[in-house]
């Protein structure tokens, strides 16, 4: 049996009115509550309300303008304190390979040793330790820069390692090219040879030899030039050549190109024939003559010659 819709609506309204009448007939909505009643009501509400923790503070960087906010920089790693290496017997003259057995301790430890020796006034030993940073300690870029800077500073005040010309090791720097005027090439070779002798502390004495071929055909401003080293003596030996393009008329540029070629040649030879720390391919912003003076150690020059094969 279905109840008509009007009766249903009237019944709902009567039920709602009856409930409102029963719930409010004893209430006084016109008289304001007394202060005691307000306090009692507030206490009852405080006791019955659910416990909600206070909201956490919002990170200011989240509400800031994204275009002006910057990401937090990662914390700078703290470099562990390096191991302190022994200075050796300061009363004895050091060998050219001094401190080479401590290379496995790493660049920071060798830097600390070199710094200590320099503060003690042991400048010859300090330079040897700085050189060991480069050739045995597998340094990172920052340690390498420290070592090169120190070697440059100390080399201006120290005498050559080998003051006796009769005790040096002979080495010949060769160049081969096809050109009409060989004077510029020979002058550039002599300039580089003198630089190498001085940079090695007269450990090696470099002579030069140019092999000139006759030109054929049209002339070009740039020609291929090959350079290599040889070691004279009872067991002669030489390195594979390395070549580059150059303009012989630009004498200063020609010497710089030969210096850069010498560095590349030594870098490849030492990497394949010795256990020295690898030299970087070409340090950015370094002049070619500084590569020869400060980036190749005196011990590297000596062992370069000794490691040459027939």
């Amino acid at each position: 049996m279905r109840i008509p819709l009007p009766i249903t609506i009237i019944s709902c309204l009567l039920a709602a009115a009856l409930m409102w009448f029963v719930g409010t007939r004893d209430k006084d909505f016109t008289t304001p509550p007394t202060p005691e009643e307000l306090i009692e009501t507030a206490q009852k509400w405080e006791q019955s309300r659910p416990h909600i923790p206070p909201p956490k503070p919002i990170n200011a960087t989240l509400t800031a303008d994204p275009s002006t906010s910057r990401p937090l920089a990662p914390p700078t790693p703290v470099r562990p304190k390096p191991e302190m290496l022994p200075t050796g017997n300061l009363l004895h003259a050091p060998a050219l390979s001094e401190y080479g057995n401590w290379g496995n301790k790493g660049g920071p430890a060798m830097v600390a040793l070199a710094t200590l020796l320099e503060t003690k006034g042991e400048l010859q030993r300090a330079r040897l330790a700085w050189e060991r940073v480069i050739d045995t300690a597998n340094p990172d870029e920052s340690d390498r820069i420290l070592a090169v800077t120190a070697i440059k500073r100390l080399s201006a005040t120290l005498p050559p390692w080998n003051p006796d010309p009769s005790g040096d090791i002979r080495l010949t720097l060769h160049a081969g090219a096809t050109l009409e005027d060989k004077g510029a090439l020979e002058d550039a070779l002599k300039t580089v040879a003198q630089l190498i002798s001085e940079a090695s502390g007269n450990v090696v004495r470099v002579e030069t030899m140019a092999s000139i071929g006759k030109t054929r055909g049209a002339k070009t401003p740039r020609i291929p030039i090959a350079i290599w080293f040889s070691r004279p003596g009872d067991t002669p030996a030489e390195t594979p050549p390395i070549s580059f393009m150059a303009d012989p008329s630009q004498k200063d540029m020609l010497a710089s190109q030969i210096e850069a070629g010498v560095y590349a040649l030594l870098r490849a030879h030492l990497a394949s024939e010795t256990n020295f720390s690898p030299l970087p391919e070409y340090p950015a912003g370094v002049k070619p003559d500084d590569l020869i003076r400060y980036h190749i150690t005196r011990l590297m020059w000596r062992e370069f010659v000794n490691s040459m094969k027939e």
Side-chain angles (χ1 to χ4, degrees):
M1 176 180 179
R2 296 182 59 186
I3 301 175
L5 183 60
I7 296 177
T8 302
I9 295 174
I10 293 172
S11 298
C12 291
L13 293 175
L14 288 175
L18 179 62
M19 292 298 294
W20 179 83
F21 175 75
V22 173
T24 61
R25 63 179 179 176
D26 296 330
K27 305 295 184 181
D28 184 4
F29 294 102
T30 58
T31 304
T34 63
E36 291 78 8
E37 290 174 338
L38 289 174
I39 294 173
E40 182 181 359
T41 302
Q43 291 175 345
K44 290 181 179 179
W45 178 85
E46 185 68 27
Q47 294 173 356
S48 61
R49 75 181 182 90
H51 177 69
I52 301 176
K56 296 181 179 179
I58 300 176
N59 193 329
T61 59
L62 298 180
T63 59
D65 184 358
S67 63
T68 60
S69 62
R70 296 180 180 179
L72 296 177
T76 303
V78 179
R79 196 173 190 179
K81 188 175 181 180
E83 179 181 352
M84 185 53 65
L85 302 179
T87 60
N89 190 341
L90 303 182
L91 299 178
H92 290 178
L96 186 59
S97 59
E98 195 78 15
Y99 308 119
N101 56 329
W102 297 114
N104 61 343
K105 299 297 183 179
M110 196 64 69
V111 166
L113 174 61
T115 303
L116 175 62
L117 289 167
E118 199 165 347
T119 57
K120 288 179 174 290
E122 298 289 339
L123 302 186
Q124 189 67 266
R125 285 180 171 271
R127 179 175 177 180
L128 291 169
W130 284 119
E131 289 181 329
R132 297 298 83 79
V133 174
I134 291 176
D135 57 30
T136 64
N138 290 307
D140 59 19
E141 184 63 20
S142 61
D143 289 339
R144 183 183 298 276
I145 292 174
L146 282 175
V148 169
T149 303
I151 291 170
K152 185 175 183 179
R153 180 178 64 250
L154 293 173
S155 62
T157 61
L158 294 174
W161 179 263
N162 178 29
D164 182 10
S166 63
D168 52 21
I169 304 172
R170 293 176 58 199
L171 185 66
T172 302
L173 174 60
H174 297 262
T178 300
L179 73 169
E180 290 184 356
D181 183 10
K182 65 178 182 179
L185 180 58
E186 290 178 338
D187 290 344
L189 277 179
K190 291 177 181 178
T191 298
V192 178
Q194 181 64 27
L195 175 64
I196 294 173
S197 299
E198 294 174 356
S200 72
N202 293 337
V203 171
V204 298
R205 177 165 58 91
V206 184
E207 300 172 347
T208 62
M209 181 176 293
S211 301
I212 306 301
K214 295 182 179 180
T215 59
R216 295 179 181 179
K219 297 180 181 180
T220 58
R222 290 166 59 84
I223 61 171
I225 297 178
I227 61 171
W228 68 97
F229 283 100
S230 70
R231 183 192 66 199
D234 297 334
T235 55
E238 64 181 24
T239 65
I242 187 171
S243 60
F244 53 88
M245 301 295 293
D247 182 356
S249 65
Q250 300 181 4
K251 296 183 179 181
D252 293 340
M253 180 63 69
L254 181 57
S256 295
Q257 288 182 280
I258 294 175
E259 289 161 357
V262 166
Y263 178 83
L265 194 153
L266 252 77
R267 176 177 176 271
H269 180 89
L270 293 174
S272 63
E273 302 296 336
T274 71
N275 293 322
F276 285 124
S277 301
L279 291 170
E281 184 172 353
Y282 195 104
V286 180
K287 296 188 298 182
D289 55 342
D290 283 348
L291 283 177
I292 305 299
R293 286 191 179 98
Y294 311 121
H295 290 254
I296 303 172
T297 68
R298 296 169 295 180
L299 182 61
M300 280 179 159
W301 280 114
R302 188 186 76 180
E303 295 308 309
F304 165 70
V305 180
N306 291 338
S307 62
M308 291 171 59
K309 299 179 180 178
E310 297 182 38

